[in-house]
Amino acid sequence: MDHVEIIEVSPRDGIQNEKTLLSTDTKLELIRRATEAGAGRIEVTSFVNPKRVPQMADAEAVANALARGTGKHIGLTLNRRGFDRALATGLDEANFVVVASDTFSRKNQGVGTEDSIAAFREIAAEPQPIRIAVTIAASFGCPFEGEVPLARLMQVVESCVAANPVEIALADTIGVATPRDVTERVGAVRRAFPDMPIRLHLHNTRNTGIANAWAGIEAGARALDASFGGVGGCPFAPRATGNIATEDLLYMLHRSGVKTGMDLDLAIETAEWLQAQLGHEVPGMVMKAGGFPNAAA
Ligand code: ZN
């Protein structure tokens, strides 16, 4: 593999759990910086209940203010209502979330997995003016049910693939996966659906995130979610922590000869800027150590 696509998710997953509410202008500045750093696809917001996720209350304002044609802008949606809101803003892509485990599905989207898949399939069966991808949350484990058996995951994957999304993302929502799990599950999806592009959404909750990213790429994943500074969390998953840090991922990939189209220095600058906006230290490591070799040493 010589190229991997990075989807910058800091404007959505990265900040959704932050207590400090960022202004719409600050979010737009974050998206602008992500674009400048070379992120061709950015998850810019989520269309969810603002009472449950106050940080995303300005989803429409953010989406409507974005310049079209500056990259692919993605809106996260959990149900028909969210999808319709995303559609109305004219975003390029909707990322529909289905949760692999029933208990987490009920807590996260208010319906069980089967009903959630049915909603997704109904939407995907209609002619839509935007790209539709699907993320399968809790693909590697559930905060409430524990292990998610591979057979269960594959059932959910199969039901989603039948609706013909542009891509299927396996999400380690609570950061429990190990490289062996990633190799196994990405491999299984690839073997079952060789033409379906696979994306990975990884959290570094137990410090396996970057190792999982590498395992995923070797197993055939072609896209990875990441957030500047490693910020992130989930309001409905207890003790969930940050996504893998974009700049840490870029460092590993670029030094290993894998292109991303992103600029490490700009990513580090943006991680520092985001840290200042949030007002607390963020987990990213390369932003502290710098790249290598570093001419400015
Ligand atoms: Zn996440």
Side-chain angles (χ1 to χ4, degrees):
M1 111 295 299
D2 59 2
H3 185 273
V4 168
E5 182 181 35
I6 308 295
I7 294 99
E8 178 60 36
V9 298
S10 57
R12 199 280 302 172
D13 209 15
I15 61 170
Q16 70 178 0
N17 220 21
E18 289 286 339
K19 285 188 191 74
T20 307
L21 293 186
L22 301 183
S23 71
T24 304
D25 280 348
T26 304
K27 292 171 188 173
L28 291 169
E29 171 70 6
L30 174 58
I31 295 162
R32 190 194 64 74
R33 283 168 175 269
T35 304
E36 200 177 283
R41 270 169 95 198
I42 306 169
E43 206 158 88
V44 295
T45 189
S46 63
F47 296 89
V48 292
N49 185 341
K51 287 197 190 84
R52 299 188 77 201
V53 191
Q55 186 73 267
M56 296 291 122
D58 60 351
E60 272 81 2
V62 169
N64 286 324
L66 292 169
R68 301 288 167 237
T70 53
K72 287 202 174 68
H73 297 137
I74 308 170
L76 188 97
T77 67
L78 306 181
N79 48 37
R80 163 68 75 168
R81 184 191 293 189
F83 178 80
D84 286 345
R85 286 173 61 196
L87 205 57
T89 63
L91 284 179
D92 306 291
E93 183 175 326
N95 181 13
F96 196 99
V97 178
V98 163
V99 185
S101 64
D102 221 37
T103 312
F104 192 19
S105 182
R106 288 179 202 285
K107 288 192 194 276
N108 200 64
Q109 7 246 91
V111 295
T113 305
E114 260 187 56
D115 288 345
S116 180
I117 292 172
F120 170 64
R121 292 179 63 149
E122 192 184 293
I123 287 167
E126 299 160 0
Q128 300 291 358
I130 58 172
R131 287 159 53 91
I132 304 177
V134 65
T135 288
I136 302 180
S139 281
F140 298 89
C142 166
F144 307 103
E145 295 179 17
E147 302 282 5
V148 172
L150 177 60
R152 163 73 180 183
L153 174 67
M154 291 308 290
Q155 262 175 9
V156 174
V157 168
E158 192 178 342
S159 304
C160 291
V161 168
N164 207 23
V166 296
E167 173 186 65
I168 199 149
L170 303 183
D172 186 16
T173 312
I174 54 168
V176 291
T178 65
R180 192 182 66 175
D181 302 326
V182 172
T183 301
E184 179 192 46
R185 294 188 174 210
V186 170
V189 174
R190 250 196 118 190
R191 279 189 297 278
F193 308 101
D195 299 327
M196 177 56 57
I198 303 173
R199 165 180 170 188
L200 279 174
H201 177 93
L202 301 167
H203 282 264
N204 195 35
T205 316
R206 291 170 179 81
N207 215 17
T208 55
I210 203 97
N212 290 342
W214 189 256
I217 292 166
E218 290 209 309
R222 285 292 166 265
L224 288 167
D225 289 0
S227 70
F228 293 121
V231 297
C234 171
F236 310 115
R239 296 183 295 281
T241 50
N243 298 99
I244 47 175
T246 306
E247 63 282 0
D248 293 8
L249 188 58
L250 296 185
Y251 175 79
M252 176 181 76
L253 294 176
H254 296 173
R255 287 280 288 173
S256 304
V258 181
K259 293 188 179 68
T260 64
M262 289 188 73
D263 184 287
L264 177 62
D265 291 336
L266 288 176
I268 290 174
E269 261 181 57
T270 301
E272 287 167 346
W273 173 86
L274 181 58
Q275 175 170 257
Q277 303 305 311
L278 296 173
H280 62 78
E281 195 182 334
V282 298
M285 296 184 78
V286 171
M287 65 186 286
K288 299 178 182 95
F292 177 84
N294 185 357

